[in-house]
């Protein structure tokens, strides 16, 4: 069994990561390793001119992995996401200053899903 925690990005520091060990656990029952995944749109590691997708830092058996992340997706990625997650409701948040704009965006997503038309 693997425990997964979603924590604030400010907890992606080696000393703070160990606070997620089970409380009052003896050495045998503490986690053998803690891996933090830090999504970032600002870091892109490279060695000798080669770009790597992931950046890794270690401290003992613990590791922090910095992974590229963007809030901006292509339209195809957005359609695939809607199809995969099959949400009951979508609330557009960009360029939706009026009801018509909201409905227009929802209609664009309708091929991926028969969406409940809702205004956000």
């Amino acid at each position: 069994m693997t425990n997964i925690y979603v924590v604030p990005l400010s907890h992606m520091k080696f000393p703070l990561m160990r606070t997620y060990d089970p409380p009052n656990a003896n050495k045998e029952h503490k986690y053998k390793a803690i891996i933090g995944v830090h999504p970032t749109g600002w870091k892109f590691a490279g060695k000798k001119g080669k770009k790597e997708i992931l950046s890794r830092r270690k401290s003992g058996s613990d590791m922090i992995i910095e992974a590229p992340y963007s809030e901006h997706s292509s339209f195809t990625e957005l359609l695939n996401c809607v199809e995969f997650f099959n949400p009951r409701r979508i609330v557009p948040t960009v360029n939706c200053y009026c009801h018509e704009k909201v409905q227009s965006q929802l209609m664009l997503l309708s091929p991926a899903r028969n969406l409940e038309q809702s205004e956000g």
Side-chain angles (χ1 to χ4, degrees), residues 20-90:
Y20 292 92
D21 268 324
N24 304 321
N26 61 29
K27 189 175 181 179
E28 294 174 9
H29 293 95
K30 290 187 182 233
Y31 299 128
K32 293 177 184 172
I34 295 179
I35 300 172
V37 178
H38 180 196
T40 177
W42 301 106
K43 295 202 176 194
F44 204 58
K47 291 182 180 178
K48 298 182 183 180
K50 289 176 70 178
K51 289 190 174 185
E52 295 180 2
I53 293 175
L54 301 176
S55 169
R56 298 168 189 87
R57 293 182 286 139
K58 286 190 83 166
S59 176
S61 61
D62 299 337
M63 180 185 302
I64 295 175
I65 300 170
E66 292 178 326
Y69 165 81
S70 174
E71 292 179 355
H72 305 283
S73 298
S74 71
F75 186 69
T76 302
E77 290 169 329
L78 187 59
L79 283 175
N80 289 339
C81 182
V82 168
E83 187 174 24
F84 180 80
F85 285 106
N86 195 23
R88 283 184 273 166
R89 183 173 179 220
I90 294 177

Side-chain angles (χ1 to χ4, degrees), residues 92 94-106 118-120:
V94 176
N95 192 23
C96 356
Y97 49 85
C98 67
H99 178 74
E100 290 77 22
K101 289 284 188 182
V102 170
Q103 292 306 311
S104 173
Q105 289 187 18
L106 290 173
S118 59
E119 190 169 335

